Structures are given as structure tokens and as C-alpha cells.
Amino acid sequence: MRIQHPILPSRSTKTISFTFNHKMFQAREGDTIAIALWANGVKTLRNSEKNHEPRGMYCGIGQCYECRIYHPKIGLLKACTTRVQEGNHYFSKEPFNEMDLARKGDGNEG
């Protein structure tokens, strides 16, 4: 499902690929990570630390930090304000150790 503003035109029609938790997704160039995942049906970006409850995009403007995800080379990102990059790998949480990071990949900054 593609989310389209009722008045503003789309930013781009170029399709790019990225992964989230080892699963490949498509996005439009210029989409934020949260919008790209939302358009692909992914609404849960992480689980809360205390109760392990699902968390996703809440404020959409980078203030609440509910949408934080992990990129191996950058660290924690706000998915609602960070543009998705071609070939990058994003994860719901930070790796527990170096072996976990090696299994998850290096982020493929390109």
C-alpha cells in the first residue's frame, strides 16, 4: 500500500531496496525509514525494553523517540525523520555482542 498525500505530489518514483531485521523491502527514494516500512505493512519498529510491548511511529516528527531503530555503522536512528538509504540494513535493536553484529551485517553504507 502506498501512502500518498492528497495534495502534495510524490517526491520520487525511483524504487530503492533496504533490509529491516534481515527482510528485504522496497521504498521510494526520499521516504523516511518509518514511512517506507509503513508502506510495506510494517508498523512495529521495536519492542519496549521493560514490558516488551510493540512500539512504532508515534509523533512522526522526531520528538518522542518511540521509532528508534539501529543501524550498525551509525547507531540509533529516529526512523520517522531519517531517510531510507539504498542497500542499508536496519534493525529493531542493537546487537548484544560482536558476533551478533557480524551475523547482522555491516550496514552496507555503500
Side-chain angles (χ1 to χ4, degrees):
M1 177 179 141
R2 185 72 221 155
I3 300 167
Q4 176 61 48
H5 192 280
I7 298 171
L8 300 175
S10 295
R11 302 184 109 181
S12 174
T13 57
K14 181 181 177 188
T15 301
I16 60 173
S17 298
F18 69 102
T19 67
F20 182 66
N21 293 335
H22 306 288
K23 185 174 178 186
M24 182 72 68
F25 292 100
Q26 302 292 310
R28 286 195 183 161
E29 186 177 57
D31 281 350
T32 65
I33 301 165
I35 289 300
L37 289 168
W38 190 282
N40 281 282
V42 177
K43 308 247 174 20
T44 299
L45 302 177
R46 65 181 188 90
N47 290 308
S48 65
E49 292 81 6
K50 185 175 180 182
N51 297 321
H52 307 287
E53 297 170 328
R55 295 289 187 250
M57 189 166 56
Y58 181 70
C59 73
I61 59 172
Q63 296 299 306
C64 71
Y65 224 66
E66 285 296 308
C67 67
R68 68 184 178 272
I69 60 171
Y70 180 77
H71 184 281
K73 290 190 175 178
I74 299 170
L76 292 175
L77 302 170
K78 294 179 183 179
C80 71
T81 58
T82 304
R83 292 183 189 221
V84 66
Q85 299 294 315
E86 171 73 43
N88 274 1
H89 305 288
Y90 306 100
F91 302 97
S92 291
K93 60 184 179 179
E94 296 179 70
F96 294 112
N97 56 46
E98 290 300 317
M99 291 297 290
D100 196 25
L101 180 59
R103 183 182 71 81
K104 289 182 177 182
D106 66 358
N108 192 20
E109 287 292 327

